[in-house]
Amino acid sequence: MPVMTEFETKPEDVGQILVKVQDDLRQLKEQLLAQGDGRTINVADLETALAKTEKGLQRRTEEVVHQINNSVTTLPLSDSNIQDDHFTTLDTTWDLRQPGRLGVSKQASYLSQQSHPALGGRPSFQPLPPGAKLPLRQPVQSQGLTPGQQHKQQWGLRAVYNPYNSQSRNVLQENYGIQLPLIADKRDARPPPKPVMGSTIEHLSVLPKANRVDAQLAPPPINEGDAQMGILSLLERGLIPPAAQLTLDPSPVKQMVAPLHDPQDRNKAPAISGNQGGDVPHPNLPSPLQASLPGFKPSVCGIHLDNQSRQQSDGVLHFLQQDASMTSKVCPTPETRSTSARTRMSSATGFSKTPATIRTYEMPLQPLLPPLPPPTTPASGDFKALSHRFALQNGKARDTQPEFLAFKQHYCLTWGSIVSMIRHLERLMTKYSVPVAFISGDKLADLSMEFELEMAPTVDDLLTVVVNRDDVEAIIRRPGRRYLGYNGQEVAATHIQSSWRRYKDRSVYLDYRRHKWAAGVIAISWIMHIKMVKVRQQLKQTRLDQLESFRMRSKKFALAWDRIKMSKRVVIHLPSLGLTQSIRDSIHEFGIRQNTQMARLCDIRDPNVDVIFVSPVPLSDETLQYYFKLLGLKSAVDSGMVEDQCDMTERYKIIVPEAIKSFPTHRMCLATLLRYSPETLKRIKNLIRGREAFIVTGVPHKDDLGVADILDVPILSPEPDVAHLYSTKSGSKRIFNSAGVDIPPGEYDVYSLGQLHECLAQLVTENLAVKRWLFKLDDEFDGRGIAYCDIPSYLKCYNWALKESHRYGEKWSKKWAQEAAYIKIHAEIPDVLTEHATPINTEIYKTWDKFLEAFLSQGGVIEACPPSESITCVTVDMMIEPSGIINILTCGDQIHAETPFSCWGLSLPQSSIEPETLNTACNKVAEACKSRGIVGYYTIDFVTFIDGKTMEQKLWALDLSLRYSDTLAMFQLAAYVTSGSLDTSTHTLNVSPSKTDKKPKRRRLQGQEEVSPSSTRYAVMSTRLLHTNLAVVHYSVFFQMCRAHGIGYDIKEKQGTVFTLVDSFNRERLGMLTIGDNLQGGLATFALNMSVIHQEISAPNMQGNTNFKGAIEDIEGILGTTIQNAEQQMEEAKQEEEEA
């Protein structure tokens, strides 16, 4: 047998190799035909020759592919298309990846290169006659320049071709010795075109702004140009609403029946379209060429030619050039079907990355050997897409399979770490008894590199390399699967034992940790308790020390009072409301409520007094300027001349504690804020150093003692506990009972529901004439903790009880006479209270149940409402000096606006009862207070009415407040602007005439002199004017408005209106004082001022929240009563004159 042609080791053109192979096959065929002279052909020899030929072909093909893959590609020269006329290549295609491709014997045809004279001596290709032999081709040894030299030569030629190139002269001189003259560059230096600024396209239309604002407007029409931009563009520009439902007609999605293939047909070779065994003629191939190529199958070999007609006169050269310029499509054959998808991208880009397909012509040789696996190449990035897969069966890798061996050879350099990952996978599959798992080798290699030096991979990490992950993961996640593998029972038993031990140890540990935590909590709680006890003891001791210091200073203060009140002194006004925390939290704008006593500054009317006023709120410059002008009127009031104003800033200081900013949301009383303000305390110390000073507080608080202790000054007030005790409703009843003054029928110190029902039933039985009963909380403020119930109106046995009282007559006061009525009334009291009792302040106590809960928690009193329709409440401010002297400072009639049980304002002096009767009651109460060690300022509230039975005027003592009141501060302002004083014996406000008041006396009638102007004044005052519309008016505008309406103060006449500013920033609250020469005039002026202010700052649709209307109604009622009283007095005077 002849030996197959040997190839050169250097890579050659694939066509030349195939031509040599074809020559060998032709010689083999001739020898076989020559031996076929009737003798039997030895099949073994034939198979041996074919196998030897096929092995040689496969080996040479691998060498060529290897050389091609490892060759360096360079850019071709510009003249690379110029080829030698005697050098011819044949472009063939061999599929080296599919098994069995090389085992098929093929019949090939060859083209001969000849010179046709008709073609001008150019080489042309003509088909050879059948049976003709091609001459043997000698291996072509390519000689020439290296790629670098070719590139340098090409660069030099480009420089020579361009005479304007700066290197042209150098290249010609160096290579050819030609010296060219210098040529000036005469090309026009045209400036570069100016860049076009801005957009070069028209703006697309978008949804108009009106449509974006109002979605109900009709959308703009869509023209054809917008429609061509596409639906997405219309949606982005808003021309189509985002929520619009779009329907494409016709639909781009075609619904067709998907063909289902039989799984058994997977490995079957698909049928090739066309004639299976015959030759398929090519439409564009010349018929002589087709005749000379027997067995030529364009559909099988993958040649796809254009269907356009070509003339045969163009020759075979034209056909081959056209075929080379066309896109070839490989028909899906069993060998190329699996690799076509992976090579599609490489074919599209023009780079031959893998030996996927090689064009060739089929030969009609039949396969005699079984298909061999495709040839392999060295590991490179080109084969990364072909993932290496192998199987793990029953927890063991099938390491003898070709796939595993190829994978091992491919990753031989990193096989150590990969083996570790394979062992992890084997243990995992064995542990969960996974029958088969297919592993992706490339992913496994990547995973091994990731975990090479780190901890062992987790189950999830290992599952990432499993191809059939869903099936494997379903098996692994199945409960109890891990116990079905090798030694499953032992693993299960071990797991049960370890779980039980873990549970047992865990329970013991949790119990230990719980005990340890409890011990720690107990220890910390005990430590905190001990610390809190020590802190409480320290605070208690501090409080006791402060109280002891307070008592010592009070004794010294009492002994030196007579000297202090006649000498220069400094009064530190601290308008603090030391109420309980719950009450402070329920008061809206607590700081403003404490600042209603700004009129305390008027204490400087005494030339021996300097005032330090501690403000609970920051004050604006506008407010400070107002008080500067107001207090500067002192000398003008005394002289009656407006020009005589003076600067009083040296006599008073307004100080704001710095702790107000630190505690903006805490409802702390002013004394507490001052105690936490060291800078303010230091300033006050400097102001009072070396001078007599004392503190005048509001509602006493324990922190007052701390402030006094720091400043080392006394306080003109009782002890805080004493003041709190006797300021309660029950405490005041004790004072009144000990003083012997009349009080309403009632009961105090009521703390239980049974006691409430029993006491109320007894009081109703004893006082059947009382129509309304009041329930007052002990520890409340400003009439807020009051509820009422008209019990007789809802008692079913009330009429029967009246008959019984008439039947017994004077004996009705006996307990035995009231027993039957008491039992019946007591039975009805609970239901009557539950259904008909009503709290006064529904903002704090919304229902009777809420009020009853507070009543029983802190105690309270039951009190009868005066049985009269005309009731007047009288307020008296008194002072017990440290030396024991009792003084009546003010007395006036209350004005009610919000509720009939809360004092809103005061008309001063009082004119509802005889001064002597009122003074007697006040002195009795003062003596009772004095006996209990009470000193300082306090307020007594009385109620007076006409008894319907006896027609006598009665005076009941209602309430006692041990504090400096708002009415006392406003009286100080009235006395400051009038230079007047209250005559406590006659209850008149006397005003001294001005020093410049020297008018000549005029005669009203002949023989009679004009009566001198009245020296008495009446004042109407309130610190609780509220109108939310005042917030929109600045104080400067407000005073201009008042001046325009004649609201002001006449210094000469000492009559008019004065305001107190208490809210510097919100400006919703203020105080007002009107002074007139009679009560009716003062009340009318006060009501008129409120009406004018309301009309100026309010609109029909913006009335605001105000208490002006209620105050005006109450003032009008008082005016009506005063007019009736004046007419009645005039009639009585006339009767007395007639009788005389």
Side-chain angles (χ1 to χ4, degrees):
M1 301 295 292
V3 181
M4 303 297 294
T5 304
E6 296 294 333
F7 290 94
E8 298 291 336
T9 57
K10 65 178 298 183
E12 296 181 23
D13 187 80
V14 178
Q16 297 179 2
I17 298 174
L18 295 179
V19 168
K20 294 180 180 181
V21 172
Q22 193 172 10
D23 291 342
D24 292 342
L25 292 176
R26 182 176 54 78
Q27 294 177 6
L28 177 62
K29 182 179 179 180
E30 292 177 355
Q31 293 180 7
L32 292 176
L33 292 176
Q35 294 179 2
D37 53 354
R39 293 179 300 173
T40 303
I41 301 176
N42 192 355
V43 178
D45 295 339
L46 180 60
E47 291 179 354
T48 303
L50 292 175
K52 187 176 181 180
T53 303
E54 189 173 2
K55 288 181 180 179
L57 178 62
Q58 182 177 358
R59 185 175 62 256
R60 298 309 179 188
T61 304
E62 290 179 359
E63 291 178 0
V64 171
V65 172
H66 177 73
Q67 294 294 334
I68 292 175
N69 290 338
N70 293 279
S71 61
V72 179
T73 304
T74 59
L75 295 175
L77 297 175
S78 59
D79 58 347
S80 61
N81 55 353
I82 303 175
Q83 299 177 357
D84 188 5
D85 295 341
H86 301 282
F87 184 78
T88 305
T89 61
L90 181 63
D91 192 6
T92 58
T93 302
W94 293 82
D95 192 349
L96 301 179
R97 294 177 302 170
Q98 299 298 332
R101 184 65 177 172
L102 297 177
V104 180
S105 73
K106 302 178 183 293
Q107 182 178 356
S109 298
Y110 298 90
L111 301 176
S112 63
Q113 180 180 356
Q114 294 180 0
S115 177
H116 285 233
L119 299 177
R122 291 179 302 172
S124 63
F125 297 91
Q126 293 292 341
L128 295 178
K133 297 182 180 181
L134 292 175
L136 294 177
R137 302 295 300 271
Q138 296 299 328
V140 179
Q141 180 68 28
S142 60
Q143 297 179 359
L145 302 177
T146 63
Q149 294 174 349
Q150 292 177 3
H151 177 71
K152 184 176 180 181
Q153 182 181 2
Q154 181 69 14
W155 179 83
L157 290 177
R158 290 180 181 177
V160 171
Y161 292 158
N162 187 8
Y164 296 99
N165 194 327
S166 60
Q167 301 296 329
S168 176
R169 300 177 69 257
N170 298 333
V171 171
L172 288 175
Q173 183 177 3
E174 292 176 1
N175 297 337
Y176 305 102
I178 300 174
Q179 182 69 30
L180 295 179
L182 292 175
I183 301 176
D185 190 0
K186 298 182 180 180
R187 291 180 296 182
D188 297 336
R190 297 179 181 179
K194 295 182 179 180
V196 179
M197 305 300 293
S199 177
T200 60
I201 61 173
E202 296 181 357
H203 295 285
L204 300 178
S205 59
V206 296
L207 187 67
K209 183 178 180 181
N211 294 81
R212 294 195 300 270
V213 175
D214 188 1
Q216 297 181 356
L217 296 178
I222 300 175
N223 54 29
E224 184 177 358
D226 293 334
Q228 292 178 357
M229 301 299 294
I231 296 177
L232 182 59
S233 175
L234 296 177
L235 287 172
E236 291 178 349
R237 288 184 284 157
L239 298 179
I240 296 179
Q245 297 182 357
L246 304 178
T247 303
L248 301 179
D249 189 14
S251 176
V253 180
K254 301 297 184 181
Q255 297 183 358
M256 299 178 64
V257 179
L260 298 179
H261 302 283
D262 189 359
Q264 300 298 331
D265 299 339
R266 177 185 299 177
N267 299 324
K268 292 183 179 180
I272 301 176
S273 61
N275 193 5
Q276 290 291 339
D279 299 337
V280 180
H282 195 277
N284 293 334
L285 190 64
S287 56
L289 183 61
Q290 295 183 18
S292 62
L293 296 177
F296 178 74
K297 299 179 181 180
S299 61
V300 176
C301 66
I303 300 177
H304 180 76
L305 302 178
D306 193 0
N307 293 328
Q308 299 180 357
S309 60
R310 304 297 180 194
Q311 296 181 0
Q312 296 183 2
S313 59
D314 293 338
V316 179
L317 178 61
H318 177 73
F319 164 73
L320 293 177
Q321 291 176 354
Q322 179 183 0
D323 181 73
S325 63
M326 294 180 183
T327 303
S328 60
K329 298 182 179 179
V330 180
C331 297
T333 62
E335 293 80 11
T336 61
R337 183 181 303 274
S338 61
T339 59
S340 59
R342 289 190 293 268
T343 59
R344 189 176 296 112
M345 186 61 67
S346 299
S347 300
T349 55
F351 296 97
S352 178
K353 292 186 177 181
T354 61
T357 56
I358 301 178
R359 291 188 219 115
T360 185
Y361 302 115
E362 293 187 2
M363 293 183 296
L365 298 178
Q366 300 298 328
L368 299 178
L369 295 176
L372 297 178
T376 59
T377 58
S380 63
D382 297 336
F383 284 87
K384 199 66 176 178
L386 301 176
S387 60
H388 300 83
R389 297 183 181 181
F390 62 91
L392 291 179
Q393 187 174 7
N394 296 326
K396 297 295 182 181
R398 302 174 62 182
D399 51 2
T400 60
Q401 295 298 319
E403 297 85 355
F404 186 87
L405 296 177
F407 168 63
K408 182 177 180 181
Q409 181 180 0
H410 188 84
Y411 291 99
C412 60
L413 299 179
T414 60
W415 185 247
S417 59
I418 295 177
V419 169
S420 301
M421 289 295 124
I422 294 176
R423 297 297 174 260
H424 285 297
L425 286 171
E426 289 179 347
R427 285 193 292 269
L428 178 65
M429 302 307 166
T430 303
K431 181 178 181 180
Y432 291 96
S433 186
V434 178
V436 177
F438 297 97
I439 309 301
S440 175
D442 296 329
K443 294 183 179 180
L444 181 61
D446 296 338
L447 185 66
S448 64
M449 296 297 294
E450 182 179 355
F451 288 93
E452 184 176 4
L453 299 177
E454 297 181 4
M455 62 183 65
T458 62
V459 176
D460 293 334
D461 296 331
L462 294 175
L463 289 178
T464 57
V465 303
V466 180
V467 177
N468 56 337
R469 177 174 179 173
D470 295 339
D471 300 336
V472 174
E473 190 171 4
I475 294 175
I476 291 177
R477 302 301 182 189
R478 190 179 304 166
R481 184 68 183 182
R482 59 181 300 185
Y483 309 118
L484 298 179
Y486 178 73
N487 293 333
Q489 294 182 356
E490 296 180 1
V491 173
T494 303
H495 181 72
I496 293 173
Q497 293 175 0
S498 62
S499 299
W500 169 250
R501 287 194 298 269
R502 182 195 64 80
Y503 169 75
K504 185 177 180 181
D505 296 341
R506 179 70 177 174
S507 300
V508 174
Y509 170 72
L510 291 178
D511 187 62
Y512 163 76
R513 193 173 68 174
R514 185 167 51 253
H515 284 76
K516 184 178 180 180
W517 171 82
V521 171
I522 294 173
I524 294 175
S525 301
W526 175 251
I527 294 173
M528 294 302 297
H529 172 72
I530 295 300
K531 290 184 177 180
M532 291 298 293
V533 168
K534 291 182 179 179
V535 171
R536 289 192 183 96
Q537 291 178 354
Q538 292 176 0
L539 290 176
K540 186 177 180 180
Q541 186 63 37
T542 302
R543 296 292 188 188
L544 292 176
D545 296 341
Q546 292 175 356
L547 182 60
E548 187 65 26
S549 301
F550 167 78
R551 291 172 178 172
M552 295 177 60
R553 283 191 294 268
S554 297
K555 292 179 179 179
K556 296 179 181 179
F557 186 52
L559 296 175
W561 173 252
D562 293 334
R563 177 184 56 82
I564 292 174
K565 70 177 182 179
M566 301 301 296
S567 61
K568 292 282 187 179
R569 59 191 182 276
V570 178
V571 180
I572 304 172
H573 281 286
L574 190 65
S576 173
L577 295 180
L579 306 170
T580 59
Q581 186 64 44
S582 59
I583 298 177
R584 295 201 302 268
D585 292 339
S586 62
I587 297 177
H588 181 62
E589 294 183 354
F590 182 68
I592 302 300
R593 186 66 184 84
Q594 293 184 113
N595 200 41
T596 55
Q597 299 181 6
M598 286 287 293
R600 290 192 186 195
L601 293 169
C602 296
D603 279 356
I604 61 176
R605 68 188 181 97
D606 188 346
N608 294 328
V609 175
D610 291 343
V611 174
I612 297 176
F613 183 81
V614 182
S615 176
V617 293
L619 300 177
S620 63
D621 295 338
E622 199 173 13
T623 303
L624 296 176
Q625 185 68 19
Y626 173 77
Y627 283 105
F628 170 76
K629 293 182 179 180
L630 178 63
L631 298 176
L633 296 176
K634 182 65 174 66
S635 58
V637 170
D638 295 337
S639 63
M641 302 296 292
V642 181
E643 295 81 6
D644 293 342
Q645 299 184 18
C646 61
D647 187 3
M648 304 291 289
T649 53
E650 298 295 331
R651 300 280 309 281
Y652 71 93
K653 301 293 180 183
I654 299 177
I655 300 176
V656 181
E658 69 269 12
I660 292 177
K661 298 180 180 180
S662 302
F663 305 98
T665 59
H666 297 70
R667 301 289 180 88
M668 295 182 178
C669 65
L670 183 58
T672 304
L673 293 174
L674 181 59
R675 188 180 179 186
Y676 297 152
S677 303
E679 296 296 331
T680 304
L681 292 173
K682 183 178 180 181
R683 182 183 178 189
I684 295 175
K685 274 186 176 181
N686 294 332
L687 292 174
I688 64 175
R689 182 177 288 113
R691 305 171 65 183
E692 296 288 345
F694 60 90
I695 297 176
V696 177
T697 184
V699 177
H701 190 267
K702 292 182 179 180
D703 286 330
D704 293 333
L705 306 182
V707 172
D709 196 38
I710 295 174
L711 298 178
D712 194 18
V713 293
I715 304 176
L716 186 58
S717 70
E719 297 179 9
D721 293 337
V722 174
H724 177 74
L725 175 63
Y726 292 110
S727 293
T728 61
K729 301 298 185 292
S730 299
S732 61
K733 297 298 180 183
R734 297 190 186 95
I735 295 287
F736 297 150
N737 286 335
S738 63
V741 296
D742 294 336
I743 60 175
E747 189 68 31
Y748 56 90
D749 288 335
V750 179
Y751 293 97
S752 64
L753 185 61
Q755 184 183 4
L756 173 65
H757 293 163
E758 293 175 0
C759 294
L760 182 58
Q762 185 64 40
L763 291 172
V764 172
T765 305
E766 294 176 353
N767 303 275
L768 294 174
V770 177
K771 301 297 183 181
R772 174 172 292 182
W773 291 90
L774 304 178
F775 308 92
K776 297 182 180 181
L777 298 179
D778 265 346
D779 193 11
E780 256 299 347
F781 173 74
D782 195 23
R784 303 188 315 165
I786 299 177
Y788 68 92
C789 183
D790 299 332
I791 294 178
S793 301
Y794 305 107
L795 285 177
K796 299 178 181 179
C797 62
Y798 180 70
N799 294 330
W800 174 82
L802 283 177
K803 294 179 181 179
E804 288 292 315
S805 64
H806 294 316
R807 186 167 66 89
Y808 283 101
E810 296 179 356
K811 296 180 181 180
W812 181 250
S813 59
K814 304 296 182 180
K815 296 293 184 182
W816 57 268
Q818 302 172 359
E819 185 176 359
Y822 168 78
I823 294 174
K824 289 186 177 183
I825 293 174
H826 182 269
E828 297 182 20
I829 284 294
D831 296 335
V832 172
L833 291 178
T834 303
E835 296 178 4
H836 303 288
T838 305
I840 294 295
N841 194 327
T842 56
E843 294 181 359
I844 301 176
Y845 307 103
K846 299 183 182 300
T847 61
W848 165 253
D849 294 334
K850 295 290 183 182
F851 181 86
L852 183 61
E853 181 181 357
F855 186 91
L856 299 179
S857 63
Q858 60 184 268
V861 301
I862 304 172
E863 189 177 280
C865 189
S868 176
E869 296 181 357
S870 179
I871 301 173
T872 303
C873 294
V874 181
T875 298
V876 179
D877 288 295
M878 302 185 66
M879 175 185 177
I880 301 177
E881 297 180 0
S883 59
I885 300 176
I886 299 172
N887 297 323
I888 298 177
L889 303 178
T890 66
C891 58
D893 299 327
Q894 292 184 6
I895 300 175
H896 305 281
E898 299 170 351
T899 65
F901 303 99
S902 176
C903 179
W904 180 82
L906 204 69
S907 63
L908 187 144
Q910 67 85 21
S911 57
S912 302
I913 194 171
E914 292 295 329
E916 184 179 356
T917 304
L918 184 61
N919 291 344
T920 302
C922 290
N923 290 328
K924 291 181 179 180
V925 174
E927 291 296 336
C929 293
K930 182 180 176 180
S931 63
R932 287 170 172 77
I934 297 174
V935 296
Y937 300 94
Y938 61 94
T939 302
I940 307 173
D941 292 335
F942 296 92
V943 61
T944 179
F945 61 96
I946 303 298
D947 191 359
K949 294 183 178 179
T950 60
M951 298 305 295
E952 295 180 356
Q953 187 176 10
K954 288 190 174 183
L955 182 67
W956 288 350
L958 296 180
D959 197 7
L960 176 66
S961 298
L962 303 181
R963 64 186 182 92
Y964 195 103
S965 66
D966 296 348
T967 56
L968 180 57
M970 292 299 290
F971 171 74
Q972 298 292 344
L973 176 61
Y976 189 86
V977 297
T978 60
S979 298
S981 61
L982 179 66
D983 188 355
T984 57
S985 60
T986 59
H987 290 185
T988 56
L989 180 60
N990 299 321
V991 177
S992 59
S994 302
K995 298 178 180 179
T996 60
D997 191 6
K998 298 180 180 180
K999 288 184 178 181
K1001 296 182 179 180
R1002 295 177 299 174
R1003 296 183 181 272
R1004 180 175 299 176
L1005 296 176
Q1006 187 175 2
Q1008 295 182 358
E1009 293 183 356
E1010 183 182 6
V1011 180
S1012 61
S1014 176
S1015 61
T1016 60
R1017 295 291 185 269
Y1018 287 86
V1020 181
M1021 61 190 68
S1022 177
T1023 59
R1024 302 189 186 180
L1025 275 72
L1026 169 65
H1027 204 302
T1028 55
N1029 290 347
L1030 286 170
V1032 300
V1033 181
H1034 288 277
Y1035 283 140
S1036 58
V1037 179
F1038 174 76
F1039 289 125
Q1040 291 178 5
M1041 177 186 65
C1042 294
R1043 191 178 299 110
H1045 289 276
I1047 301 175
Y1049 185 74
D1050 189 349
I1051 296 178
K1052 189 174 183 180
E1053 297 293 334
K1054 297 182 180 179
Q1055 298 181 20
T1057 304
V1058 180
F1059 295 96
T1060 58
L1061 308 182
V1062 298
D1063 191 355
S1064 298
F1065 298 98
N1066 293 334
R1067 300 184 300 276
E1068 295 178 352
R1069 301 174 184 270
L1070 52 82
M1072 185 169 64
L1073 169 68
T1074 60
I1075 300 174
D1077 55 359
N1078 56 67
L1079 180 59
Q1080 290 83 2
L1083 290 172
T1085 303
F1086 198 93
L1088 180 61
N1089 293 344
M1090 288 192 297
S1091 179
V1092 169
I1093 294 172
H1094 176 72
Q1095 292 177 3
E1096 288 293 328
I1097 65 177
S1098 301
N1101 58 347
M1102 192 179 67
Q1103 294 294 315
N1105 183 20
T1106 180
N1107 55 16
F1108 284 12
K1109 296 180 180 180
I1112 292 174
E1113 292 176 358
D1114 194 67
I1115 290 173
E1116 290 177 352
I1118 296 174
L1119 286 174
T1121 304
T1122 56
I1123 292 173
Q1124 291 179 2
N1125 293 337
E1127 293 177 354
Q1128 185 177 359
Q1129 290 178 1
M1130 291 177 64
E1131 291 178 359
E1132 292 178 355
K1134 289 180 180 179
Q1135 291 178 1
E1136 291 179 356
E1137 291 178 357
E1138 292 176 356
E1139 292 177 357

